Amino acid sequence: MMLHGIGASPGTAVGRLVLLGGIDVDMDGDPETAAPGSVEDSLARLTVAIATSREEIVAIAAAARDRIGAEHAAIVEAQLLVLDDPEWYGPVVDAIRAGATPTAAAWATSQEIADLLGSLEDPYLRERSADILDVGQRVVGHLTGSSRAEALSDLSGDVVIGAHELTPTDTLGLDPDVVRGIVTEVGARTSHAAILARQLGIPAVVGATGLLEFANNGNLVVVDGDAGVCTVNPEPDLVDRARADAASRAGRVVLRQTVTTSDGIPVLVYANASSPQDVERAVRWGADGIGLFRTEFFFMQSQSLPDEEAQAAYYGAAAEAAGGRPITFRTLDVGGDKPVPGLHVEAEENPFLGVRGVRLTLAHRRVFDDQLRALARTAARYANVSVMVPMVSGLEELDEVRAVLEEVAPAAAFRFGTMVEVPSVAVLAAEMAEEVDFLSVGTNDLTAYLLAADRGNKHLHYLYTEFHPAVLRVLHQILVGAGTTPVSVCGEVAGDPRSLPLLVGLGFRQLSVSGPLVPEIKARIQRLDSVGIGRIAESVLRARRHADVEAALEELSALVEPR
Ligand code: PEP
Ligand code: MG
């Protein structure tokens, strides 16, 4: 049986399915209500469950730090704060003293606090609501013997994890040496768990509706993270092909040199990074440079706003790890979905059309000034440093940023560029290109804004796609408008093997992708013939409907030699 979903992390996996139970705790099924113990017993069990949860969080954070970097570990560590918080612990104990079972007390308290936080206007506090539920679920898991983390730590052989949904913490707790694939019923390519799966290099399919209905624990499954298909009880020849594919990717040679298409056109493959550790790993995977260093994760993981000194040290460590390769830092891109401790962002009716990115940093000059000074210091110490600005909507904002730079760091020696994420800047690509050193297309947001479709909205997956004819025409218009000014693509589409022949065919010569994808993308570029794909890409620009684009993509994939 084939379950169709969305390819969220590329690659092929073969393994036995391990289904994880639901995230919602069903209190009707509370095993303890049948045999309640004394209050002392209950409190003792709660203490043990909390201690076990704490050990577990510390272990997951340590593994995450090793595998993919400190900023990801911080996602899990936030849960330690909840366990230590009297606002959570106090009401749980009170409820037990009032006669509730520890399970009911821990879950009801977590839900109440999460509901309360979820209803607040401050996006930072709203975000904490998910942490509280995650902690509640973890503690309840230990009280009832249904811990997800325990189930995940006890795996052996080649396993594919199946679930209705995985939290970022569940994903971070996966050991890529055992967990070969992931398949979930809900989720999006751009959801946090999907991004983490790509960082860990685990093939994943999300949105595979019917998984829990049609598949059982122990079923053999094949996960095709490129096509977005999960096959349950596959035919033997599919298993053989999938195993061969997985083996050939595992043995993929890291290509340290810049690669060219088969007819000699160089295409730079940079990596996206959020920490110095990310940069280090990207270099190991053979990245030609760092095309997008997201600085916001450093802000998000710090307890308060990092000052100029701390930022200079952090950016310096990233530039050092790049070892002279080009590195492009993006100035703070928060607001909307990404709250930062210590930076009060007013709640807005519609944050994705509100004060985010450069709009926010221009309004919080102390934060912006410190960051620009720290970046100028980094550029003074290291070669090949570039800085770009997110969410720019016109030349006026670039003028303002330049004026700030002139005031706070007049000697700044970095190349200066802009992200192209707001459609107005795509329309003005020629004018923008005349005034910057480079453009970098953020297709994640550009697609959302062009189609007026939120990238995380599960009802709009059918609409949110970079393969919409309008998005592809706009990508082409940006390239044409930019003329000789370099343009890179740093949105998630750049690392999608299916879109690669199309992007290179349209004329993009610089891509920035998730680090673990670099070897795969480089290998594929070497198999492209720029003339053949160019012809088909041109025909895509005449596409009127999504289906026309799909047909061209089929034609393109047939043209690219089989592995
Ligand atoms: C984008 O919008 O494509 C992008 C790269 O920025 P982010 O995903 O950080 O919003
Ligand atoms: Mg963006």
Side-chain angles (χ1 to χ4, degrees), residues 378-455:
T378 311
R381 283 180 58 206
Y382 294 93
N384 273 331
V385 169
S386 302
V387 171
M388 66 180 173
V389 190
M391 292 300 297
V392 171
S393 57
L395 284 169
E396 294 75 6
E397 277 157 344
L398 287 187
D399 295 341
E400 278 187 69
V401 174
R402 279 220 175 77
V404 174
L405 257 178
E406 190 54 40
E407 189 187 323
V408 303
F414 42 68
R415 287 170 74 240
F416 182 65
T418 180
M419 295 276 295
V420 182
E421 298 171 287
V422 182
S424 54
V425 162
V427 173
L428 290 176
E431 288 75 9
M432 303 302 285
E434 276 174 18
E435 304 204 10
V436 291
D437 298 314
F438 63 95
L439 302 176
S440 184
V441 188
T443 44
N444 303 342
D445 279 319
L446 183 61
T447 305
Y449 291 132
L450 273 173
L451 301 174
D454 176 357
R455 52 169 135 160

Side-chain angles (χ1 to χ4, degrees), residues 42-76:
S42 294
L43 289 174
R45 291 184 49 230
L46 177 71
T47 308
V48 172
I50 290 177
T52 316
S53 299
R54 178 169 295 131
E55 280 169 23
E56 198 170 87
I57 294 169
V58 170
I60 295 176
R65 197 173 296 113
D66 278 0
R67 286 185 195 131
I68 53 175
E71 77 286 358
H72 298 295
I75 300 173
V76 201

